[in-house]
Amino acid sequence: MIRALHTAAAGMESQQFNIDVIANNLANVNTNGFKTVRADFEDLLYQTLRPAGATAAGGAQLPSGLQVGLGSRPAATYGLFTTGALQVTGNPLDMAIEGDGFFKVLLPDGAIAYTRDGGFKMDAQGRLVTSNGYPLEPEIIIPPDAEQIMIGRDGVISVRRGGQDGVEELGQITLVRFVNPAGLNRIGMNLYRLTPAAGEPIEGAPGTNGIGSIASSALEASNVQIVDEMVRLIMAQRAYEVNSRAIQTADEMLSVAKDLKR
C-alpha cells in the first residue's frame, strides 16, 4: 500500500507539470511567433518481483515476469514548430516567415539569439530592432528621409527617399534554419539560444537552402490551438483526479488493515 501512495503521488506531480506546460501555451496564445510546447513523460523504474524467463518450481520456464511500476515523470518538453497563421498588419516593418527559419538578433552581451517574431521597430539611429531594443543582424539602418519602405520575399530591403523617383536598396535580410529547432533553448522575450542539440545554423537568403520566404506587412501568430489545449487540460485534470483517488483508496485500505487487530 505504501508503494501505491508514492506511485500515485508521482503521477500527480507529472500531471501538475503537464498543466503548467498547457497553461503556458494558453498564456501565449496571442504572442507573435510563439510555438506550442508539448510535455512528454516516461515511466519510472520497475520493481522486479520475478524476472521473465525464470524457471518455475516444476521446471517450466515462465513466459512473463512479475513487475510493478513506480509512477511517471516528465521526460522532455518538445516544441512544435508548425507555422502560425499570418496576420496582415499594414506596417511595412512587420515581417512574417513563411516556412522554416529564424531572424537573427544581437544581444547586449554580443551573443546571437533567434526569433520568429518579426514585429520590428526603428530605434533612434534608424536600426531595425525588436520590441526589447535588440538590433536585427545583419544590421539594417533606415535613412531618416525614407518615405516608403519595401521588403521583398527574398529579404531585400529598399526605400524611396523624399524627392526621389528611384528606389534605393539598403541591404539583405538573412534567415537561419536548424535541423532540430526543438533543440533550441527558449530564453523568453520571444528569443531562442543555440544549443548543440539544435545542430549547426544554416544561414541564407529567404527562399534558399530550405529557408522560408518573408511576407512583409504581416506577423506570424502563435500556433497554439486553443481547443486542443483545452482538451489536453481536461485530460490532465482527470488524470490528476484519478491519481488522487488512488491515494485515497490506498489510505482507506491501510486503515482497514490497521483496524484488523481490534
Side-chain angles (χ1 to χ4, degrees), residues 88-95 120-121 216-218:
V88 177
T89 64
N91 182 357
L93 297 182
D94 288 339
M95 292 176 276
F120 293 100
K121 289 83 177 171
S216 62
S217 302

Side-chain angles (χ1 to χ4, degrees), residues 177-224:
R177 72 176 182 91
F178 301 91
V179 175
N180 177 31
L184 294 171
N185 185 36
R186 299 174 186 241
I187 61 174
M189 299 176 291
N190 296 348
L191 299 176
Y192 301 82
R193 278 187 184 269
L194 180 64
T195 71
E200 289 297 321
I202 303 172
E203 186 171 359
T208 64
N209 296 327
I211 299 173
S213 57
I214 289 180
S216 62
S217 302
L219 289 174
E220 180 189 8
S222 168
N223 70 349
V224 174

Side-chain angles (χ1 to χ4, degrees), residues 95 103 136 140 151 154-157 171-175 204-206 214:
M95 292 176 276
F103 297 104
L136 181 67
I140 300 293
I151 303 176
D154 58 357
V156 175
I157 296 185
Q172 168 77 57
I173 295 175
T174 60
L175 302 179
I214 289 180

Side-chain angles (χ1 to χ4, degrees), residues 115-145:
T115 182
R116 291 279 300 189
D117 182 5
F120 293 100
K121 289 83 177 171
M122 279 195 297
D123 65 4
Q125 289 78 42
R127 299 180 302 172
L128 292 185
V129 298
T130 67
S131 298
N132 292 287
Y134 303 145
L136 181 67
E137 181 70 21
E139 185 178 75
I140 300 293
I141 299 178
I142 306 297
D145 58 346

Side-chain angles (χ1 to χ4, degrees), residues 76-262:
T77 51
Y78 189 81
L80 305 178
F81 282 81
T82 57
T83 303
L86 297 188
Q87 299 176 337
V88 177
T89 64
N91 182 357
L93 297 182
D94 288 339
M95 292 176 276
I97 302 174
E98 295 182 283
D100 293 339
F102 294 83
F103 297 104
K104 291 170 50 180
V105 296
L106 186 64
L107 299 179
D109 61 358
I112 295 294
Y114 306 92
T115 182
R116 291 279 300 189
D117 182 5
F120 293 100
K121 289 83 177 171
M122 279 195 297
D123 65 4
Q125 289 78 42
R127 299 180 302 172
L128 292 185
V129 298
T130 67
S131 298
N132 292 287
Y134 303 145
L136 181 67
E137 181 70 21
E139 185 178 75
I140 300 293
I141 299 178
I142 306 297
D145 58 346
E147 290 186 346
Q148 185 179 6
I149 302 173
M150 294 154 285
I151 303 176
R153 296 184 63 83
D154 58 357
V156 175
I157 296 185
S158 304
V159 297
R160 180 175 286 110
R161 294 174 179 264
Q164 296 183 1
D165 295 331
V167 173
E168 179 182 343
E169 185 176 310
L170 295 181
Q172 168 77 57
I173 295 175
T174 60
L175 302 179
V176 176
R177 72 176 182 91
F178 301 91
V179 175
N180 177 31
L184 294 171
N185 185 36
R186 299 174 186 241
I187 61 174
M189 299 176 291
N190 296 348
L191 299 176
Y192 301 82
R193 278 187 184 269
L194 180 64
T195 71
E200 289 297 321
I202 303 172
E203 186 171 359
T208 64
N209 296 327
I211 299 173
S213 57
I214 289 180
S216 62
S217 302
L219 289 174
E220 180 189 8
S222 168
N223 70 349
V224 174
Q225 299 296 320
I226 297 179
V227 174
D228 293 342
E229 296 301 316
M230 292 302 297
V231 170
R232 292 172 55 203
L233 185 63
I234 293 173
M235 293 176 62
Q237 180 184 8
R238 293 294 178 262
Y240 190 89
E241 292 173 355
V242 168
N243 278 282
S244 67
R245 178 60 181 170
I247 291 179
Q248 182 180 355
T249 301
D251 179 62
E252 291 173 355
M253 295 175 70
L254 283 171
S255 179
V256 171
K258 177 177 68 69
D259 292 340
L260 288 176
K261 66 180 181 180
R262 297 181 182 178

